[in-house]
Amino acid sequence: MRNQLLLISSFTLLSLVSVFRHSLATPRSTIEVGSSFSVEDDKATTLITSLDGTFSCGFHEVGINAYCFSIWFTYSKDATVVWSANRESPVNGRGSRVSLHRDGKLVLSDVDGSTVWDTNTSSVGVSSAELLNSGNLVLKDRDGRIHWQSFDSPTHTLLPSQQLTKGKRIVSPVAKDDPRSGYYSLYFDNDNVLKLIYDGPEISSIYWPSPDFTVFRNGRSSYNSSRIAVLDATGRFLSSDNLNANASDLGLRIKRRLTVDFDGNLRLYSLNRSNGLWSVSWVALPQICSVHGLCGKNAICEYLPSVSRCSCPPGYEMNDPRDWNKGCKPKFNMTCGHYTKHQLHFIELTGADFYGFDMSTYSTLISFQACRRLCMSTCSCMAFGYQKSGDNAIGSCYPKSTLFNGYRSTSFPSSIFLKVPKSVKSSSGFNQSGLACNPVNSSVVLGSSKMYGNNGSNTKWVYLYAFAAALGAVELLFILTGWWCVFRGHDTLKSVQKGYKLIGSQFRRSWVRDVVDHRLNGEFNYAQAAAMTRIAVSCLEEERSRRPTMNEVVKILLASLEQDSYDHL
């Protein structure tokens, strides 16, 4: 009898343990007061999941042995994060813990037991934490009253029904793979208008809505006091300043998010549930170079047919080859008195401008020669812009004391005249080192990539492998195009150059299929074939400044490797 009781007791204990383990592994939408979970536990299972399964909450890996307590879309391919409690201070991958204390405070602690973040909700009667179907993490009492919610402290994303109000900001991440707060934010200014601002270490500048126009010409109104913006369930983004933006796929039953991306643009995304990928359904700035501070000080953002690129003007070079946010620096000494005016000259950068920072000597009634003399004789003048007034011999003179927010486009009617030593020639061209920003879902091409163990040695290996990949790509290009040209009796260079023009303007799938060796029977990656053709022809440019650097080649190839095909072919 005693043995039977012992057997029954053991079986009961094992059953309880099994039930307890199952309860930990089974997704739930709430956690009770007194519960505590470590980052090791959460590696195997999500802490909590909304009842409809749309959102998950727990420890999200942001680097080597680095985690944030976050909320993310469960069904997105890359587990897209929409909120983080500790984006500035990730915790260790071992020993870190999130606990709902008995006094009602939700606490995140690091491996050493120090508190990294908490909700400051002691003694208010909190009984549980719940992740709602909206993606809002809330702390409630037994009567269902909410005493704290994640919607009140947004990070870089606004979800449907989440309100952006006075005093709150949506702040971009530093880079695609770096969750820390960046330089761009969406907020209500003191004139009651919703704006995007670049707030860098040296310079702050509002760039949306357009600073060139008045509030009313931008379709906004400052005559309101509510200061509230919200994204509704159908895909409409509305604010109290009369902003009314609609998703291109307006309608219900689509999961959406409004995000200030690392490149400073505000985008509305829609989720394709079948493949977990996001598509842009609205964007605040169709031209990415309109974002201020994108390429850093002294740099220029250039519009190209399918991508925009950061460049250093003649006589300048990147401050940090890995980070365009740090801009460019002159290769010469431009301190006052170092050069006489006879040792300086101006280089014209057609279709370019540096927005803002016009000197007090600005004039609307002056000749080009007078404007040039004014900048040459003023030590602090770094460049000047000039725009004629119709057919008149006089126009507007814009001397620049600081070169910031640079952009360049073939459609821009004016030029900037850069003051440099005579040793710098205009034929030296632009230092085009790296892509500034690709379309949506592109790889990281702006900002710093070093964080959480991504040290310099790792970066060297990445570039070594990428260099090998580039050489392999060139060889593969000859396989794809060379044999086709030989068998068809065409000159290789002319065929590729003609193909490049077609790719750059039309991206027709039928043409890509024709240019590749027919014996491959269509078994090749269209995106990579187009990218390699573009690289090959660019490398054959007679003008050295128009040839891509290895950095550009690597990034183009890596970007093409991430695509199975061009959606727009």
Side-chain angles (χ1 to χ4, degrees):
M1 183 67 178
R2 183 178 180 181
N3 291 337
Q4 289 178 337
L5 289 174
L6 183 60
L7 182 61
I8 293 172
S9 299
S10 300
F11 178 78
T12 303
L13 181 60
L14 289 173
S15 298
L16 290 173
V17 170
S18 177
V19 170
F20 178 71
R21 287 179 175 174
H22 180 71
S23 66
L24 286 179
T26 302
R28 89 271 317 261
S29 63
T30 62
I31 54 176
E32 303 300 322
V33 165
S35 300
S36 180
F37 304 88
S38 73
V39 64
E40 288 94 342
D41 296 334
D42 196 44
K43 286 177 181 177
T45 178
T46 299
L47 183 59
I48 50 177
T49 302
S50 60
L51 284 175
D52 65 357
T54 299
F55 294 97
S56 297
C57 177
F59 288 97
H60 186 270
E61 189 172 10
V62 295
I64 299 174
N65 199 40
Y67 288 79
C68 283
F69 180 57
S70 304
I71 299 170
W72 61 88
F73 275 93
T74 308
Y75 302 113
S76 63
K77 187 176 181 181
D78 56 354
T80 304
V81 171
V82 297
W83 176 84
S84 293
N86 58 317
R87 66 189 300 197
E88 311 298 341
S89 303
V91 295
N92 198 284
R94 293 181 178 274
S96 300
R97 184 171 294 273
V98 61
S99 309
L100 184 56
H101 289 183
R102 296 194 181 277
D103 63 359
K105 184 166 58 177
L106 188 64
V107 177
L108 175 66
S109 56
D110 212 334
V111 61
D112 60 356
S114 61
T115 298
V116 175
W117 169 88
D118 70 73
T119 56
N120 192 28
T121 50
S122 299
S123 305
V124 294
V126 169
S127 61
S128 64
E130 181 178 358
L131 183 59
L132 305 181
N133 291 338
S134 61
N136 191 12
L137 178 64
V138 300
L139 298 185
K140 303 190 300 183
D141 60 23
R142 297 192 183 280
D143 295 325
R145 289 188 294 264
I146 295 175
H147 294 275
W148 177 90
Q149 57 182 342
S150 61
F151 271 16
D152 285 340
S153 55
T155 49
H156 63 287
T157 292
L158 197 71
L159 293 173
S161 78
Q162 182 179 7
Q163 296 181 354
L164 179 63
T165 57
K166 176 184 177 181
K168 297 179 183 177
R169 288 188 176 227
I170 309 294
V171 182
S172 71
V174 170
K176 185 178 180 180
D177 297 320
D178 188 338
R180 294 175 301 167
S181 297
Y183 297 136
Y184 301 100
S185 58
L186 176 71
Y187 75 111
F188 276 101
D189 207 347
N190 55 14
D191 62 353
N192 304 322
V193 176
L194 188 66
K195 297 178 179 178
L196 284 170
I197 186 173
Y198 168 80
D199 191 7
E202 299 180 55
I203 297 169
S204 295
S205 183
I206 293 171
Y207 57 93
W208 182 83
S210 175
D212 289 331
F213 306 126
T214 65
V215 171
F216 300 103
R217 189 172 177 185
N218 279 318
R220 308 288 190 89
S221 172
S222 57
Y223 296 111
N224 71 88
S225 59
S226 54
R227 298 194 199 181
I228 182 171
V230 66
L231 173 65
D232 70 17
T234 66
R236 294 189 306 164
F237 180 46
L238 310 170
S239 73
S240 53
D241 65 353
N242 287 345
L243 172 68
N244 189 342
N246 295 325
S248 58
D249 55 357
L250 199 66
L252 295 170
R253 296 186 296 276
I254 298 176
K255 303 301 179 183
R256 308 180 195 275
R257 61 182 173 93
L258 184 72
T259 300
V260 180
D261 286 320
F262 69 94
D263 62 2
N265 212 340
L266 177 66
R267 297 182 178 92
L268 178 59
Y269 291 92
S270 300
L271 180 63
N272 185 332
R273 180 70 179 269
S274 63
N275 58 18
L277 298 178
W278 295 96
S279 60
V280 175
S281 50
W282 175 82
V283 62
L285 295 159
Q287 295 285 7
I288 192 62
C289 288
S290 299
V291 176
H292 288 181
L294 188 64
C295 298
K297 190 175 181 180
N298 299 319
I300 292 179
C301 183
E302 294 186 272
Y303 290 119
L304 299 174
S306 60
V307 74
S308 296
R309 171 172 61 190
C310 290
S311 298
C312 291
Y316 287 75
E317 61 185 356
M318 290 183 71
N319 270 305
D320 184 346
R322 298 167 298 178
D323 188 356
W324 268 112
N325 294 147
K326 297 180 181 178
C328 306
K329 60 183 178 181
K331 299 178 183 178
F332 46 86
N333 187 346
M334 276 300 289
T335 57
C336 289
H338 188 79
Y339 294 100
T340 67
K341 64 180 182 179
H342 301 292
Q343 295 174 311
L344 298 170
H345 73 144
F346 290 94
I347 292 178
E348 181 180 4
L349 308 179
T350 58
D353 190 21
F354 288 95
Y355 183 86
F357 302 97
D358 298 327
M359 300 176 66
S360 58
T361 50
Y362 157 79
S363 175
T364 57
L365 298 173
I366 192 172
S367 68
F368 174 82
Q369 290 76 14
C371 183
R372 185 181 186 280
R373 287 194 298 270
L374 178 64
C375 185
M376 181 64 79
S377 61
T378 306
C379 179
S380 58
C381 182
M382 304 296 294
F384 72 91
Y386 188 82
Q387 189 170 7
K388 283 188 176 181
S389 178
D391 296 329
N392 298 326
I394 58 176
S396 298
C397 177
Y398 305 94
K400 304 287 181 178
S401 60
T402 300
L403 304 182
F404 205 72
N405 303 326
Y407 60 92
R408 189 183 192 210
S409 173
T410 55
S411 61
F412 189 68
S414 300
S415 296
I416 200 78
F417 295 84
L418 187 69
K419 186 162 72 174
V420 295
K422 288 185 176 180
S423 58
V424 178
K425 306 297 182 182
S426 59
S427 60
S428 61
F430 283 73
N431 178 13
Q432 302 165 339
S433 302
L435 302 178
C437 41
N438 274 337
V440 186
N441 297 328
S442 64
S443 58
V444 177
V445 287
L446 274 179
S448 176
S449 61
K450 48 188 186 297
M451 187 182 181
Y452 308 122
N454 294 329
N455 55 32
S457 61
N458 291 337
T459 303
K460 292 177 182 178
W461 281 109
V462 168
Y463 277 92
L464 178 60
Y465 291 135
F467 181 77
L471 292 179
V474 173
E475 182 178 358
L476 182 57
L477 177 65
F478 279 101
I479 296 174
L480 294 178
T481 60
W483 282 105
W484 180 82
C485 294
V486 170
F487 279 97
R488 298 269 174 152
H490 291 281
D491 178 77
T492 302
L493 178 59
K494 290 182 179 179
S495 298
V496 174
Q497 287 176 330
K498 179 181 178 182
Y500 175 75
K501 292 179 181 179
L502 288 173
I503 286 179
S505 60
Q506 299 180 30
F507 282 95
R508 290 183 177 175
R509 181 182 290 269
S510 60
W511 181 85
V512 176
R513 187 180 295 111
D514 285 342
V515 78
V516 174
D517 191 344
H518 291 185
R519 292 172 297 173
L520 293 177
N521 297 319
E523 297 296 327
F524 63 92
N525 184 291
Y526 290 93
Q528 294 172 25
M532 287 186 289
T533 305
R534 182 182 292 110
I535 291 170
V537 174
S538 298
C539 290
L540 296 174
E541 289 284 351
E542 293 183 3
E543 187 178 338
R544 182 179 179 182
S545 63
R546 300 184 64 182
R547 301 172 195 165
T549 64
M550 180 53 68
N551 187 31
E552 290 178 290
V553 170
V554 168
K555 289 178 179 177
I556 293 173
L557 289 174
L558 291 178
S560 69
L561 290 173
E562 293 181 356
Q563 304 178 50
D564 290 329
S565 63
Y566 279 135
D567 293 334
H568 53 282
L569 282 174

